[in-house]
Amino acid sequence: MRKGRWSLQSVIIVFVCVVVALSLLITDLLISSRVASGTEESQAEKAGNVARMVAHSPLVIDAMSGKQDETEIQTFANEMRKVTNVYFIVVMDMKGIRKSHPDPEMVGKPFKGGDQGPVLKGKEYASTSKGSLGPSLRYFTPIKDESGRQIGAVAVGISLNNIQKAVHKSRTGVFIGTVIGILIGILGAVMLARYIKKILLGLEPFAISKLLEERSAMLQSVREGILAVDQESKVTLVNRAALKLFEKAGLQGNPMGKSIGEYMSSTRLSDLLKTGKAELDVEQNLNGITILTNRVPVIVENKVVGAIATFRDKTEIQLLAEQLTGVRIYADALRAQAHEFMNKLHVILGMVHMGNYDKVVQYINEMAGHRKSEISFVTKKIKDPVLSGFIIGKLSYARESGVELSVSCDHPLPQPADPDVTHDLITIVGNLVDNAIEAVNNCPNKKIAVGFEYGDDILTIEVKDTGKGMSEELQNQIFQKGFSTRGGNRGFGLYLVTQSVNKLEGELILSSKPGKGTVFAVYLPYKAEGRLAE
């Protein structure tokens, strides 16, 4: 974790704890206020009920009317005070003179507090004031005789200290509940943070953001098209290369969020979601464009949750393969010439050491003459310097392999109007000659004849060998990609030949019989660069 940044777990814990604490504290304040108000109201209601009971007592009414001894009021009031557990019960006459009091010495003295005025005028109410027993909540009720005439009043008091104790007791319960709620909130926050971190594979938000940016940049930078779908065949990812290829194929719009089957009818990603089997290096026709695609399922916990396809225009891949093959062919030709030249230098060096200087001169003249005539013939008949140089290299390679290679060309072959044709010709001739050299490798008569014939904008290339020939079954297989009778990692030469012939819109004819050699004849449309000077 970077310095100065909180982890996701810490942020979640702090945030949840703060939210829970604030919520519970606000709740505590609201509940405490309601509890205090409710407690006061309940105590006032209790005092009112006691006051009305005393005011409607026949004993009190008779005593206040003079029908009974007033001293009975004190006894009755004390008993009611003990039974109802109130602070005091004071009965007074219309002049405010006490007829009862918890302190007997206060009986006969005026009521204190200054809030008894309204009750002596017939009003019932609650009040808070300080009397001889200290501050209290008081409830006043008038006393009336049978005729409805007011003859006195009752004041029932509840100590404010007792009310505060009741409120405090209620708030203590609320506070304990708040603390427990905060602790539960903290525990829940920790568990939630750990669960989220587990889902995110332990990554922090900034790390996820960086990873997402890097992944996006990587996906958009590759030249291969990339497309991903979820379990419901909805497109969840597509990069720029894929969109560019879709546009080239005439598929308009962005497929994000769409069903892949509706956007691209030729897709097999929906089938892959059912089978769960990868499909590698598969050719697919996309509105006339052939693409080479790889489709693999996305499996999580042994369940297919999606699929990813990577693809590229097959034309680009073929061009790259042909270029690489051409480079290899050029390199082999140069290596053969260098090797042949070194062998001849060794022969010359040996004769010099032996002192056979006359033979050295003779050997050099013969070698130079043969080489000169060979080069002169090829360069005279084949005007394309690249192709002619390549054929000269093949002649050296054949001699190094112990094979007699002859080249014939009745009429000069001009340079092609399209320079790219040269590369395809090298691919065709090079692979056919290499195949012929391998075919005669174990034969007593090792001869190969390569013939070029040009006329009427048609180029005919014929490669004939004296090898063992091929059966019909083998002839039907040799052009397949990867097929070879000589082991693995081979079988691409003749496949590339067919690709180049098809590219040039030509025709390839194979003629072979077991024990009678093989002939490859290639017929190609050939546009010359200009009229050849005689």
Side-chain angles (χ1 to χ4, degrees):
M1 184 176 68
R2 294 183 182 178
K3 187 176 180 181
R5 281 185 174 175
W6 284 22
S7 66
L8 178 62
Q9 183 170 339
S10 300
V11 171
I12 292 176
I13 291 174
V14 171
F15 180 75
V16 173
C17 288
V18 169
V19 171
V20 171
L22 287 175
S23 300
L24 291 176
L25 287 174
I26 293 173
T27 303
D28 176 49
L29 291 175
L30 295 175
I31 291 178
S32 296
S33 176
R34 292 289 300 272
V35 166
S37 176
T39 301
E40 290 182 2
E41 289 178 0
S42 65
Q43 293 297 322
E45 184 178 357
K46 174 183 176 181
N49 290 334
V50 173
R52 283 187 287 272
M53 288 173 59
V54 174
H56 288 81
S57 171
L59 185 149
V60 174
I61 293 173
D62 289 345
M64 292 298 291
S65 301
K67 298 177 182 180
Q68 199 168 336
D69 188 2
E70 289 184 354
T71 58
E72 296 294 331
I73 296 175
Q74 173 69 4
T75 303
F76 176 75
N78 285 336
E79 289 178 357
M80 286 292 293
R81 180 175 60 82
K82 293 177 182 178
V83 172
T84 57
N85 195 28
V86 295
Y87 194 36
F88 64 82
I89 297 176
V90 175
V91 178
M92 68 187 82
D93 58 16
M94 294 301 292
K95 295 180 179 181
I97 303 300
R98 299 188 186 102
K99 302 300 179 179
S100 67
H101 195 276
D103 185 359
E105 294 182 0
M106 296 295 177
V107 177
K109 295 181 179 181
F111 186 84
K112 288 187 177 182
D115 54 348
Q116 71 277 16
V119 75
L120 296 177
K121 294 180 181 180
K123 186 177 180 181
E124 184 178 280
Y125 59 95
S127 176
T128 301
S129 184
K130 183 177 181 181
S132 58
L133 297 177
S136 60
L137 172 66
R138 310 169 178 211
Y139 199 91
F140 295 90
T141 299
I143 302 173
K144 297 180 181 180
D145 59 14
E146 295 177 357
S147 63
R149 181 176 61 89
Q150 185 174 356
I151 56 177
V154 178
V156 176
I158 296 177
S159 175
L160 290 179
N161 291 332
N162 292 338
I163 294 176
Q164 291 175 356
K165 287 180 181 178
V167 172
H168 179 71
K169 185 177 180 181
S170 299
R171 294 188 67 180
T172 299
V174 174
F175 178 75
I176 292 173
T178 300
V179 172
I180 293 174
I182 291 175
L183 293 176
I184 294 175
I186 293 173
L187 179 61
V190 172
M191 294 177 64
L192 176 63
R194 289 182 177 177
Y195 176 72
I196 292 177
K197 193 168 185 179
K198 181 181 178 181
I199 292 176
L200 298 179
L201 304 177
L203 296 175
E204 297 296 337
F206 65 85
I208 296 174
S209 176
K210 181 181 178 183
L211 185 64
L212 183 61
E213 291 176 357
E214 291 175 349
R215 191 198 72 159
S216 178
M218 179 178 63
L219 290 175
Q220 298 301 338
S221 64
V222 297
R223 296 190 64 184
E224 284 72 18
I226 301 175
L227 183 140
V229 297
D230 59 15
Q231 290 174 285
E232 299 176 353
S233 298
K234 301 289 185 182
V235 178
T236 58
L237 183 147
V238 59
N239 67 346
R240 280 195 295 266
L243 291 175
K244 186 177 180 181
L245 190 56
F246 292 158
E247 184 179 353
K248 184 178 178 181
L251 299 175
Q252 301 298 324
N254 194 320
M256 282 292 294
K258 298 180 181 178
S259 174
I260 186 62
E262 296 176 0
Y263 183 78
M264 186 192 309
S265 59
S266 62
T267 183
R268 284 183 47 81
L269 283 176
S270 299
D271 298 332
L272 185 69
L273 292 173
K274 299 176 183 177
T275 63
K277 295 181 179 180
E279 299 177 355
L280 306 177
D281 297 327
V282 179
E283 291 187 9
Q284 176 183 343
N285 185 282
L286 191 62
N287 289 358
I289 297 178
T290 303
I291 62 174
L292 195 64
T293 179
N294 294 292
R295 310 182 188 99
V296 295
V298 178
I299 301 176
V300 177
E301 297 180 354
N302 297 322
K303 184 179 179 181
V304 178
V305 298
I308 295 178
T310 60
F311 45 89
R312 192 168 178 181
D313 190 343
K314 186 182 176 183
T315 304
E316 296 180 1
I317 299 176
Q318 284 179 337
L319 180 60
L320 180 61
E322 290 170 358
Q323 289 174 347
L324 292 175
T325 303
V327 170
R328 180 184 62 80
I329 292 173
Y330 293 142
D332 288 344
L334 292 173
R335 182 189 60 80
Q337 292 186 64
H339 193 270
E340 182 187 22
F341 183 69
M342 287 299 296
N343 288 337
K344 291 178 179 179
L345 287 179
H346 289 153
V347 172
I348 294 172
L349 181 62
M351 287 190 292
V352 169
H353 281 305
M354 291 185 297
N356 297 325
Y357 302 113
D358 293 338
K359 290 185 177 182
V360 169
V361 173
Q362 182 182 354
Y363 179 75
I364 293 175
N365 288 331
E366 290 177 356
M367 181 180 67
H370 175 74
R371 183 71 173 173
K372 182 178 180 181
S373 62
E374 184 179 84
I375 293 174
S376 176
F377 174 80
V378 173
T379 54
K380 181 180 179 181
K381 293 294 185 180
I382 300 176
K383 297 301 180 179
D384 188 332
V386 176
L387 181 58
S388 61
F390 171 75
I391 292 174
I392 292 170
K394 278 299 177 184
L395 289 169
S396 298
Y397 177 69
R399 280 193 294 272
E400 181 189 5
S401 301
V403 177
E404 182 182 339
L405 174 63
S406 60
V407 178
S408 63
C409 185
D410 294 338
H411 302 284
L413 177 63
Q415 293 191 51
D418 183 1
D420 291 338
V421 173
T422 300
H423 176 77
D424 290 305
L425 292 179
I426 289 173
T427 300
I428 294 170
V429 175
N431 282 292
L432 290 179
V433 170
D434 288 344
N435 194 69
I437 290 174
E438 290 183 354
V440 300
N441 189 33
N442 296 321
C443 297
N445 185 20
K446 301 179 180 181
K447 292 184 178 181
I448 299 173
V450 179
F452 294 90
E453 184 177 339
Y454 172 67
D456 297 329
D457 292 335
I458 297 294
L459 171 63
T460 302
I461 303 173
E462 187 177 85
V463 179
K464 183 187 300 184
D465 66 58
T466 58
K468 298 178 180 180
M470 291 180 283
S471 64
E472 289 188 13
E473 180 181 1
L474 187 58
Q475 292 179 44
N476 294 328
Q477 294 177 305
I478 60 172
F479 295 106
Q480 296 177 10
K481 181 180 179 181
F483 177 80
S484 175
T485 59
R486 300 181 179 87
N489 297 322
R490 300 175 64 91
F492 294 96
L494 292 178
Y495 172 77
L496 292 175
V497 169
T498 58
Q499 295 295 306
S500 293
V501 170
N502 292 335
K503 178 181 176 182
L504 298 177
E505 299 180 353
E507 183 181 3
L508 172 63
I509 297 176
L510 167 62
S511 176
S512 180
K513 290 184 179 180
K516 295 186 178 181
T518 301
V519 178
F520 286 93
V522 180
Y523 303 94
L524 302 171
Y526 191 88
K527 296 292 183 179
E529 185 179 36
R531 191 177 288 240
L532 184 64
E534 295 294 330

